[in-house]
Amino acid sequence: MHPARVVHLSSDDVSLILAFSAWELPAILHWGARITMTDDDLLQFAAAEQRPGIDNISDLPYRPSLLPEHGRGWFGRPGLSVHRDGAAWAPSFRVESIALDGTAVTQPVTQTECGSLLVRARDKQSAVEVKLEIDLTPRGLLRMRASVRNDGHHAQPLEVQDLSLALSIPTRASEILDFTGRWGHERQPQRHPVVRGTHTRPSRRGRTGLDATTTMLVGTPGFSADTGEVWMFHVGFSGNHEHALERGDGTLAFRGGELLLPGEIRLGVGEEYAGPWVYGSHGEGWDAASARFHAFLRSVSRSSRRDRPVTLNVWEAIYFDQDAATLDDLAERAAALGVERFVLDDGWFRGRSDDRAGLGDWSPDPVAWPDGLRPLADRVRELGMEFGLWVEPEMINEDSDLARAHPEWILRARSELPAAYRFQQVLDLTQPAAFAHILDTLDGLIRDIGVSYLKWDHNRDLVSAGHPASGAPAVHAQTLAVYRLIDELRARHPDLEIESCASGGGRVDLGILTRTDRIHPSDSHDPLDRPGIIRATGLLVPPEMLGSHVASAVSSVTGRTSDLHLRCAVAFLGHFGIEWDIRELDDEERAELATWIARFQRLRPLIQTGRTVGDGDDDAAAPTLRGVVAQDRSEGVFTIVTPTTTPDTLARVRFPGLDPARRYRLTASVPNTLGPPWQVPDWLRAPDLDAEGTAPILSGSVLSTVGLEFPTFHPERAVVVHLRAEAAA
Ligand code: GLA
């Protein structure tokens, strides 16, 4: 008999206790608040958790493991669905080895800080092997990945239909917060009770999706930004995938994995399929759960290694209307404002005068750019800025030289091409020749022009995406090919930064974000819609990776008009930039924009390292608050936005995350429309952000716990507040 084992991993304020009873795959006994136990306590606990046999359930009661098995009496969704031409469909696994950070786990109890577990299990009869990788990071983020291998000697391939991890949590978590959306309005919240059955958010778009939930939060009733127990989940994959919550008889588990198309994964002898990393984070309130994701992304991303450069992207300034003189002019004006990165968007390549043609022909258009892009890039560098370029490498217009030369490089499951989206099709990057062509082309552009930043777009969902020769499904292999392409480019150009854009926020996931440096959260820059989009996207993504642009007064997406102060204040707590025709600016606007750029440059060390906090209020009529507080709580910067006209003239706002024992000096940027004749509370008469002068000094406990009264009589305005702790007396 294989002895039972208990493994207890802890880090930060999180504990994960896994039980391996007899030969079975591991089951979660506890995942949540950190607990301290002796080895003996743990053994007693594991023994006490043995399920009783009661009438009408199996004589061998089963606790669902990380990959629940139908063959052991699990009637929910199996963790692994496979078959070999109809056989081997009910595997039953025996654990063969458990290793912690490379060392075999042989003792009944193992307790350690952090760590990576590797579990190998086999079903000899079905000739299937599974591997589970389980990591608890230093900041308490849990991530898991499952792989399956065809261990058979049969010529018959093993078809994998589904591989879905189960992260069990207590049933007291009875509310779900997940997100949906559309182009220009990504990640809108929906909150609802957990009911029996499965709540599932599949994405079959071949990219993460504009309507993707991105994260799923499950918690105790009424959980908020800083209250209630919350478990937050994420599937880190940019292809088809699923976030789901499955409630059964006394069980509750997040289910996450890739969604496979029919016949997509057929493993030959010895071949392996690895599912995506599935992430989970526990915390008191969602800000605590989210902070673990931020710490993880910061530990792997290049963005965290240097100051985020203020960016100007020319898309909403000129759209497809490019010429060297206009771009030189824009570059000069950008540099004068303090911009540090200049990004040339769509429209620069051969035949691209609108969105109907050109994708695939990645060389400068000879009409718009007779001398190529090098002179512009050199001018941009001379002006002290970096040069960035828009590309959409996975895509191809039927009207392009590339499509004419290589019609066999376009993904299709049938003889005819799939329906075009935005007049474009998808290039089959799983074909070595197509992959090499795109890799060499991008590599050449980066070298020849001196590109330090790519805005990498992806503007269509994948429909009937099959390998052209066979029609076999290609989404899985295409997703991995894109990852390989990016990895190879980054290996060749270690300083290259990449933005993940997909019609705005259509590709936001940790598959892409662990190899890129920021996202474009939405094509909508409307400052009244942005706080919600940013708050939800920012659960996963730290502020410095959220591209935040100040656009024109009239939003190109919503048609709504807003003032410059509001637009700047809302864009401020992110990776700040501009996407607007700055030739239109009058002197006053130019001065105001330059002031915000300088402020961002002063405060970005805080914004790009701090902890994100927000209010937990779902009341659309209340002001929204989002802030970033230094890890040592020595300062914080907050944006408060009043969205609509409300029946109240005042609302209390709290500034979460401060040190209750310290006193903070308050400065603020207040729109001048909050001035006379309106009454403004005294604290809002503070000196301008970072200016000298007599500022209110308030205690952290009052600011965080009680809050201050904030005027809401003026709708659609924003205030930015900076709080800096006084030196101890
Ligand atoms: C997408 C992006 C935009 C812009 C256009 C260019 O819609 O989201 O920011 O780059 O493509 O065609």
Side-chain angles (χ1 to χ4, degrees):
M1 182 78 172
H2 187 295
R5 309 236 184 280
V6 188
V7 176
H8 179 193
L9 303 178
S10 319
S11 78
D12 206 11
D13 48 4
V14 174
S15 275
L16 171 73
I17 302 179
L18 292 172
F20 297 75
S21 84
W23 301 93
E24 289 177 21
L25 289 170
I28 295 177
L29 291 192
H30 167 73
W31 167 37
R34 187 179 185 119
I35 50 177
T36 308
M37 288 175 118
T38 64
D39 288 3
D40 190 46
D41 284 345
L42 266 174
L43 281 177
Q44 302 278 351
F45 170 50
E49 286 287 294
Q50 292 297 330
R51 296 225 157 144
I54 49 172
D55 276 0
N56 208 24
I57 66 168
S58 163
D59 293 345
L60 281 177
Y62 177 60
R63 173 182 297 281
S65 72
L66 300 178
L67 273 188
E69 289 158 89
H70 169 76
R72 291 188 191 264
W74 170 249
F75 300 106
R77 175 185 186 161
L80 176 65
S81 294
V82 288
H83 72 101
R84 205 178 265 111
D85 198 19
W89 63 275
S92 184
F93 291 101
R94 266 167 94 97
V95 169
E96 296 203 321
S97 67
I98 312 167
L100 178 67
D101 296 327
T103 306
V105 170
T106 52
Q107 301 301 314
V109 176
T110 302
Q111 302 205 61
T112 184
E113 286 290 313
C114 314
S116 296
L117 270 179
L118 177 64
V119 180
R120 289 181 186 279
R122 189 185 304 270
D123 174 358
K124 281 199 178 136
Q125 240 182 72
S126 311
V128 181
E129 190 188 275
V130 297
K131 188 169 84 184
L132 294 174
E133 294 161 90
I134 306 156
D135 288 353
L136 190 67
T137 70
R139 281 294 305 279
L141 182 70
L142 179 62
R143 60 172 198 159
M144 298 186 184
R145 180 165 68 169
S147 312
V148 53
R149 206 173 74 91
N150 181 358
D151 204 20
H153 305 293
H154 317 256
Q156 195 66 260
L158 181 76
E159 180 170 337
V160 182
Q161 295 180 324
D162 189 25
L163 180 61
S164 159
L165 280 159
L167 277 70
S168 294
I169 59 173
T171 51
R172 65 176 177 273
S174 57
E175 267 179 31
I176 309 180
L177 173 61
D178 62 333
F179 302 90
T180 182
R182 59 165 169 83
W183 175 76
H185 208 47
E186 295 87 338
R187 284 169 284 282
Q188 300 305 305
Q190 49 179 16
R191 196 169 177 138
H192 45 115
V194 174
V195 292
R196 290 194 180 237
T198 303
H199 171 64
T200 171
R201 296 300 313 283
S203 172
R204 292 191 172 79
R205 296 176 180 278
R207 59 177 178 175
T208 332
L210 289 162
D211 60 344
T213 184
T214 310
T215 56
M216 187 178 271
L217 287 80
V218 193
T220 50
F223 69 86
S224 71
D226 57 0
T227 61
E229 219 183 342
V230 182
W231 286 264
M232 174 176 157
F233 300 98
H234 172 72
V235 177
F237 196 60
S238 315
N240 295 337
H241 67 283
E242 182 180 29
H243 289 73
L245 190 77
E246 187 178 32
R247 173 75 160 90
D249 176 5
T251 62
L252 178 65
F254 174 76
R255 305 301 305 268
E258 182 174 3
L259 281 180
L260 297 170
L261 293 164
E264 188 162 36
I265 302 292
R266 287 197 175 155
L267 301 176
V269 173
E271 285 181 351
E272 185 176 272
Y273 160 75
W277 286 105
V278 175
Y279 297 79
S281 180
H282 171 267
E284 195 61 32
W286 65 64
D287 283 344
S290 152
R292 303 189 201 289
F293 279 98
H294 292 186
F296 173 73
L297 262 175
R298 284 172 171 166
S299 73
V300 296
S301 109
R302 290 180 185 176
S303 325
S304 54
R305 290 185 219 150
R306 61 189 193 97
D307 279 346
R308 299 293 75 219
V310 174
T311 299
L312 180 125
N313 177 300
V314 302
W315 175 242
E316 291 209 357
I318 53 169
Y319 294 102
F320 292 104
D321 207 2
Q322 298 190 358
D323 65 79
T326 305
L327 269 300
D328 274 351
D329 183 20
L330 283 169
E332 274 152 32
R333 289 169 190 265
L337 287 170
V339 167
E340 297 157 311
R341 174 183 281 159
F342 184 85
V343 183
L344 184 64
D345 210 277
D346 193 358
W348 59 268
F349 44 96
R350 239 165 46 242
R352 188 69 167 176
S353 49
D354 57 27
D355 57 6
R356 292 170 178 260
L359 289 173
D361 297 343
W362 302 111
S363 65
D365 182 70
V367 179
W369 298 101
D371 302 320
L373 292 179
R374 182 84 208 199
L376 173 67
D378 285 344
R379 179 74 187 123
V380 163
R381 279 186 286 272
E382 242 169 60
L383 290 163
M385 301 182 289
E386 297 174 17
F387 183 72
L389 192 63
W390 182 95
V391 287
E392 199 177 357
E394 296 140 85
M395 298 295 158
I396 184 164
N397 281 117
E398 288 169 52
D399 185 0
S400 67
D401 292 343
L402 189 67
R404 283 181 283 272
H406 290 287
E408 78 286 4
W409 283 1
I410 301 179
L411 286 175
R412 67 180 92 181
R414 301 165 52 81
S415 54
E416 74 276 14
L417 284 176
Y421 276 45
R422 212 192 185 205
F423 313 100
Q424 65 197 55
Q425 297 288 353
V426 186
L427 196 62
D428 183 1
L429 288 172
T430 70
Q431 294 186 42
F435 183 94
H437 171 77
I438 291 295
L439 174 63
D440 291 346
T441 307
L442 293 175
D443 187 42
L445 282 170
I446 295 165
R447 274 178 219 284
D448 297 347
I449 301 169
V451 175
S452 60
Y453 176 82
L454 289 177
K455 176 177 174 185
W456 187 300
D457 216 330
H458 183 292
N459 278 312
R460 67 159 293 166
D461 296 326
L462 272 57
V463 176
S464 301
H467 297 292
S470 61
V475 174
H476 171 77
Q478 174 81 357
T479 309
L480 298 191
V482 173
Y483 290 167
R484 273 202 318 278
L485 180 62
I486 296 177
D487 292 347
E488 181 56 35
L489 275 177
R490 281 165 56 101
R492 292 187 190 182
H493 304 280
D495 293 327
L496 177 74
E497 288 194 14
I498 300 177
E499 169 175 36
S500 168
C501 175
S503 323
R507 187 150 63 181
V508 178
D509 64 81
L510 292 190
I512 202 78
L513 270 162
T514 47
R515 39 179 59 87
T516 52
D517 304 281
R518 68 169 225 172
I519 54 156
H520 185 58
S522 180
D523 273 354
S524 173
H525 306 288
D526 182 320
L528 295 183
D529 284 345
R530 285 295 279 204
I533 296 171
I534 288 297
R535 183 162 69 158
T537 312
L539 288 169
L540 182 69
V541 186
E544 71 279 10
M545 297 178 87
L546 294 164
S548 292
H549 294 170
V550 177
S552 55
V554 179
S555 162
S556 64
V557 168
T558 64
R560 201 155 43 190
T561 305
S562 52
D563 72 28
L564 183 54
H565 185 272
L566 175 67
R567 275 139 55 215
C568 291
V570 166
F572 194 60
L573 294 186
H575 180 187
F576 190 74
I578 305 167
E579 189 165 337
W580 178 18
D581 189 349
I582 51 172
R583 293 170 300 181
E584 289 172 1
L585 305 188
D586 61 27
D587 290 348
E588 210 177 306
E589 290 171 321
R590 204 172 302 116
E592 186 167 356
L593 200 47
T595 302
W596 281 99
I597 289 173
R599 273 178 189 156
F600 174 76
Q601 288 161 335
R602 222 165 31 237
L603 285 175
R604 69 186 158 193
L606 164 62
I607 296 169
Q608 64 204 21
T609 58
R611 182 168 183 269
T612 303
V613 294
D615 50 30
D617 203 337
D618 286 335
D619 176 359
T624 59
L625 174 139
R626 185 168 162 267
V628 182
V629 177
Q631 301 288 348
D632 66 2
R633 299 190 289 179
S634 59
E635 62 177 330
V637 58
F638 301 83
T639 303
I640 307 161
V641 183
T642 47
T644 50
T645 313
T646 76
D648 296 314
T649 52
L650 288 168
R652 201 162 270 284
V653 286
R654 292 185 307 125
F655 298 86
L658 300 173
D659 182 346
R662 276 146 110 175
R663 300 171 75 234
Y664 292 85
R665 179 177 182 275
L666 186 151
T667 52
S669 172
V670 178
N672 50 22
T673 44
L674 283 191
W678 303 101
Q679 291 281 313
V680 176
D682 273 354
W683 67 272
L684 276 181
R685 299 185 195 283
D688 206 49
L689 280 183
D690 272 342
E692 294 307 317
T694 316
I697 311 257
L698 289 151
S699 91
S701 59
V702 163
L703 290 162
S704 278
T705 318
V706 186
L708 299 173
E709 278 191 329
F710 181 81
T712 53
F713 45 72
H714 235 140
E716 304 175 5
R717 294 290 179 270
V719 168
V720 175
V721 172
H722 182 219
L723 294 164
R724 206 172 49 232
E726 292 286 280

